[in-house]
Amino acid sequence: MNKNFYFLREAILLLSMCLLLPAAQGQTLKAYEKAADEAFLKKDYYNAVHYYEIVLESKKNAGIYFKYAESCRLTYAYKKAEEAYLKVIRDTEARNFPKADFYYALVLKHNGQYSKASTEFNQYVRRHPQDNYFKKKALQEIEACRWAEEATKRPVDTIDIERLGDKVNTKYSDFGAHWVGDSLYYSSLRFELEPNKDQKKNSKKDKKEKAKRLVSKLLQTTDPDKEKGKILDEFNKNDRHTGNSALSPDGKRMYFTYCEGMNSDSVLCDLYVSLKTAEGTWASPTRLPEPINLKNYTCTQPNVGFDKSLNKEVLYFSSDRPGGEGKKDIWFTIINDDGSYGEPANLGSVVNSMEDDISPFFHTASQTLYFSSEWHKGFGGFDIFSSQRKDVLWLEPENLGLPINSAANDLYYVINEGDNTGFFASNREGSKAITGESCCNDIYRYFTPTPTPPIDTPIVSIDPPTPDSNTVVQVDPPTTDPEDPEDPKDPVTPVTEPDNPIAVVPTPEPTRPDINTTIEELNEMLPLNLYFHNDEPDSNTTSTVTNKPYSLTYRDYVSLKNEYKTEHASQFAPETRPMVLSKVDEFFESEVRGEYERMHDFYAKVLELLEQGAELEIYIKGYTSPRSNEGYNKALAKRRIMSA
């Protein structure tokens, strides 16, 4: 799944499909393959599926099947993806596609074949024993498949579910439904004309020639069964995506998201709020202040609840900002009595994971948080989970089970106030879709016999805070040349960020692990390879000291991924660029982010030993690429060591 705003990837890719397909008629096989590869490079996976299917009628090889499988998986065509991945892993060239068996297992799970998926994940772990993101994910999915096999035998038969009709749901994505008085507010993708300053306004020819683009809008309807939604003019803007509205408990504030950018890998979202006027209308929206909104990072999917333990309103949201547990995490900020906002804090590792955790909804009556996650044990992609608030702790998340969840993506869960109904979004079988399989979310309504009760679950301890930033660790040289154009990495020294005291509360361990055992575990985690952008930190200086921590240089390095891909791709022929860029994505995901996360695990164990009175000697080595003279490189290496 794309790292950005969930529904917008569908919006942008579907737009490309609608505009590009007609131009493909009459092309040669070579032209189709070129069009397919170009679409794949642009992450226009819907078009890529279409073109690769034409190519595969005449030309069949592992490379084409793999790109076709990837395109199908990323457009949720899991049955097609399963067949294509299987052809790749049975091919004599399968060794050139080492992740094909991993993704084959993943789509098997999406197709509800839990036993078979578990077997494939086990085989992947045996073939790829190295400790990285994919191994961790495979091990987690093995447990999830075992859980799902048992959970399918125990559906919640007291819950009824119905899809809202075609007055609300379209063949594109519809999501985020909630009541505001007697109106249903929801988000939906809609076509609008692309502005063109060079054409005359109000001209019939002008409207015909302008391109259409698919954007998200906020709509409302007073009768979702009989009345189509009407666009809310006070919130929507022509040059932005608008979505994910949430009403404050007092009904006087509407929070929602504006997003900018049309490419699926460059969309950035900010949170806004609109106040209700004395006349009952909504005032002009205001952008929430920094550091809630953070430059170059997405902040989206707001929800407000009243926390009884804090006696405050709390704004929850999803963001990919630094300092989280993985991709998108759920964050929160306290809303003060004067309307100001506190410092944002991560919700912690009990709720958040190394995968996407999104679409939070806080149910005030039960002090329970509902959210969707790709990591916690579930049936397929995103499942909906609940975690109850207990004093200042969050309890272990619980899967809502069938039929709320499915092997597809299930998210945007809400409970309607004062009754036993609610809404969620899903692309499960039966959803209206623009493609053959369910690509897009529809809104579903559920009914329960009684309002959702509080969850009674044992409290789990929270991970201890990370150690002091002066801690250092030995870093061995990388196994590949940092100057190799196919491997844009540079080894660095690690540092951690302090935990937010609002977000985590350590609890005492009932027993302490053996010190020698923990030291042995530490040694097994070495070496750690961390990465800098060239000449960082503090470029163009001969200083041997820096005040820039690794957490910042890591963030800056990751933000340059697309620039690396652009420059890197130019060195290769067009037909090989898709695979080359896939390797760059994999490097940033499994190496750069994976090692950064392992660093935090390492420090947690270091802190554990220090708290037991152990004395440790930890060494660090700084490396540079040979781009400058020896004196300059030594100063750079010392700055990298200092950054820890």
Side-chain angles (χ1 to χ4, degrees), residues 247-255 273-277 281-282:
L247 190 66
S248 64
D250 61 7
K252 296 180 180 179
R253 285 162 286 136
M254 183 67 71
Y255 294 88
V273 64
S274 182
L275 304 181
K276 181 163 279 191
T277 66
T281 59
W282 293 108

Side-chain angles (χ1 to χ4, degrees), residues 433-449:
I434 194 171
T435 56
E437 294 189 51
S438 295
C439 68
C440 314
N441 289 322
D442 275 357
I443 298 171
Y444 288 79
R445 176 166 44 200
Y446 67 87
F447 305 83
T448 59

Side-chain angles (χ1 to χ4, degrees), residues 61 74 196 326 341 440 534:
N61 61 51
L74 293 167
N196 190 332
Y341 299 91
C440 314
N534 180 57

